[in-house]
Amino acid sequence: MKKRILKSPANRLVFIALFSLMAMGACKSKKKVVAETPPPAPVEQVEAPATPSTPQPSAEEVAVGKLENYFNSVANSNNVQAANSTIQEALSMFSNQETPVLIVIHEESGIKDYDEPTTISKYLNYLKDTKKNLNFISDIRLDNSGRVSELELRRK
């Protein structure tokens, strides 16, 4: 026969008292250890000499920025003469006035559906007439002379 140690109320009381003393003792020792650790030494930060390592934008990025500005200027122009002068400036960036402009209307699993192909001249006049620039440049191709040879647009 086994004797049960915790059967009597006195034994239970002693067991609970020992357990609580051990628990409190463990907490106090952790607090002492934490309080006795010295603060970390200040770390000196060595400043590296500033080198101008900003990457230069590529020719495509520069062309995209200029074209987006031209498209917004044509769409937001107040009169036809201002729009026409902006269109002439924009056309100087293209290899010719018949440069193809493709507008992506849907893409699924890498397959793109395009709206009816147009030319840059027609697209700029469309912007002038509608006064809305609803597309952004998603792909641009430059020829050897740095002029735009193909433009792909997407809906904003």
Side-chain angles (χ1 to χ4, degrees):
M1 277 193 173
K2 287 187 176 180
K3 287 187 175 180
R4 297 214 171 208
I5 296 174
L6 298 178
K7 203 170 192 182
S8 99
N11 286 343
R12 278 191 216 152
L13 185 60
V14 170
F15 179 74
I16 292 172
L18 285 175
F19 182 74
S20 60
L21 281 174
M22 288 175 47
M24 283 194 255
C27 291
K28 288 181 182 179
S29 65
K30 285 183 184 177
K31 288 181 183 176
K32 288 180 184 177
V33 171
V34 171
E36 292 176 6
T37 57
V43 178
E44 292 183 27
Q45 294 182 355
V46 178
E47 293 182 24
T51 57
S53 63
T54 56
Q56 296 296 324
S58 67
E60 288 88 2
E61 292 171 335
V62 172
V64 166
K66 286 182 180 179
L67 286 175
E68 289 287 349
N69 287 336
Y70 283 134
F71 291 168
N72 288 328
S73 295
V74 169
N76 297 325
S77 65
N78 293 332
N79 58 28
V80 176
Q81 291 175 344
N84 286 336
S85 66
T86 305
I87 287 172
Q88 291 305 315
E89 287 178 37
L91 287 175
S92 68
M93 293 184 64
F94 291 87
S95 55
N96 61 36
Q97 290 187 2
E98 301 302 313
T99 300
V101 176
L102 305 171
I103 301 172
V104 178
I105 55 175
H106 181 71
E107 181 177 6
E108 188 173 322
S109 63
I111 299 172
K112 298 177 184 177
D113 291 330
Y114 296 101
D115 196 4
E116 181 181 347
T118 187
T119 64
I120 188 59
S121 178
K122 289 179 184 177
Y123 183 72
L124 289 169
N125 284 313
Y126 168 79
L127 289 177
K128 177 178 70 171
D129 295 339
T130 61
K131 297 198 176 292
K132 293 181 183 176
N133 184 13
L134 302 176
N135 301 314
F136 68 93
I137 299 171
S138 66
D139 190 25
I140 188 169
R141 296 213 172 91
L142 302 178
D143 59 10
N144 294 335
S145 64
R147 293 178 181 248
V148 179
S149 61
E150 188 178 311
L151 194 61
E152 185 177 283
L153 305 175
R154 289 183 187 265
R155 286 272 182 199
K156 287 184 181 177

